[in-house]
């Protein structure tokens, strides 16, 4: 017996228009721009196939971020190895200026992107979700399925990594 879909094709088209940009930008920051389009397409397919499993226990955006992060994590593990440093493609990520009010030029953004891509995926996920996507610690905790204390720790370590990276380049 086929399960009834909560979302029909028109609803899904509206959903895609509303969320594709956020999904794509999150994928860019977690797996790199070159792979983000493919990974974000996988995310949209997973959402469409599993929308009837959404129970409403969390917000829809939290559920979407969880699928996005998990899909990026899965891609990362398969393509580059879980703890290996990513090769930075020429088309580097664009970092939103919310990560630090002092970021005023593209060159500094490029170096922050390099720092993000060089750090391990767990710290990167937390930093991207907090400092770029603007999620609260509680939302990140639900998305990553880890305690709030762990979220705060990963963010602090990630920010410290970026700071040291920039200090080594004598940019801070």
């Amino acid at each position: 017996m086929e399960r009834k879909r909560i979302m029909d094709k028109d609803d899904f088209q509206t959903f895609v228009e509303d969320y594709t940009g956020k999904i794509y930008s999150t994928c860019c920051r977690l797996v790199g721009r070159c792979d983000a389009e493919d990974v974000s397409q996988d995310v949209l397919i997973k959402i469409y196939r599993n929308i009837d499993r959404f129970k409403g226990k969390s917000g829809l955006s939290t559920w979407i971020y969880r699928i996005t992060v998990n899909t990026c994590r899965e891609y990362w593990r398969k393509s580059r190895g879980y703890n290996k440093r990513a090769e930075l493609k020429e088309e580097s990520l664009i970092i939103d200026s919310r990560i630090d009010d002092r970021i005023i030029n593209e060159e500094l953004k490029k170096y922050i992107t390099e720092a993000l891509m060089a750090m391990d995926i767990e710290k990167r996920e937390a930093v991207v979700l907090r400092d770029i996507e603007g999620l609260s610690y509680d939302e990140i905790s639900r998305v990553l399925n880890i305690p709030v204390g762990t979220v705060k720790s990963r963010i602090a370590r990630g920010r410290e990594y970026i700071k040291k990276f920039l200090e080594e380049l004598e940019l801070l």
Side-chain angles (χ1 to χ4, degrees):
M1 181 174 171
E2 187 178 325
R3 293 187 288 187
K4 184 180 176 193
R5 288 259 174 230
I6 294 174
M7 190 180 291
D8 65 21
K9 288 181 182 179
D10 291 334
D11 290 338
F12 190 70
Q13 181 62 36
T14 301
F15 166 83
V16 167
E17 291 167 3
D18 292 344
Y19 283 94
T20 298
K22 284 188 177 265
I23 291 168
Y24 177 77
S25 68
T26 302
C27 290
C28 276
R29 292 173 176 113
L30 294 177
V31 299
R33 180 171 290 189
C34 292
D35 300 316
E37 191 170 326
D38 290 339
V39 176
S40 57
Q41 290 298 315
D42 288 345
V43 170
L44 291 170
I45 290 167
K46 287 179 181 182
I47 290 168
Y48 184 74
R49 288 182 179 160
N50 294 294
I51 192 68
D52 53 337
R53 293 183 183 172
F54 175 65
K55 305 264 190 280
K57 292 180 181 176
S58 63
L60 180 62
S61 63
T62 300
W63 185 73
I64 291 167
Y65 274 118
R66 177 174 283 184
I67 291 173
T68 303
V69 168
N70 286 341
T71 303
C72 288
R73 191 180 286 163
E74 178 182 300
Y75 173 81
W76 180 263
R77 286 178 180 146
K78 286 180 182 176
S79 68
R80 291 189 170 96
Y82 184 60
N83 285 320
K84 292 182 183 173
R85 181 180 173 172
E87 286 183 32
L88 197 59
K89 310 277 195 283
E90 184 158 329
E91 287 185 326
S92 64
L93 307 173
I94 303 301
I95 302 302
D96 190 308
S97 63
R98 285 180 281 168
I99 196 166
D100 191 323
D101 291 336
R102 293 175 293 169
I103 299 173
I104 56 173
N105 64 49
E106 292 301 313
E107 188 170 340
L108 188 53
K109 289 180 185 180
K110 181 184 121 191
Y111 290 121
I112 291 173
T113 296
E114 288 180 19
L116 277 171
M117 292 306 294
M119 74 174 64
D120 66 76
I121 190 80
E122 289 89 3
K123 285 185 260 191
R124 184 179 336 142
E125 290 168 347
V127 170
V128 166
L129 292 174
R130 177 68 180 166
D131 292 335
I132 297 173
E133 298 299 328
L135 273 62
S136 71
Y137 293 117
D138 288 333
E139 289 172 316
I140 297 168
S141 172
R142 289 192 299 273
V143 167
L144 300 179
N145 200 28
I146 57 176
V148 172
T150 304
V151 169
K152 290 178 180 180
S153 173
R154 287 181 184 179
I155 290 169
R157 288 191 315 248
R159 288 174 178 165
E160 184 62 26
Y161 183 92
I162 292 170
K163 181 181 174 193
K164 285 181 181 177
F165 188 94
L166 296 176
E167 286 172 347
E168 287 176 13
L169 295 172
E170 298 179 358
L171 294 170
L172 286 183

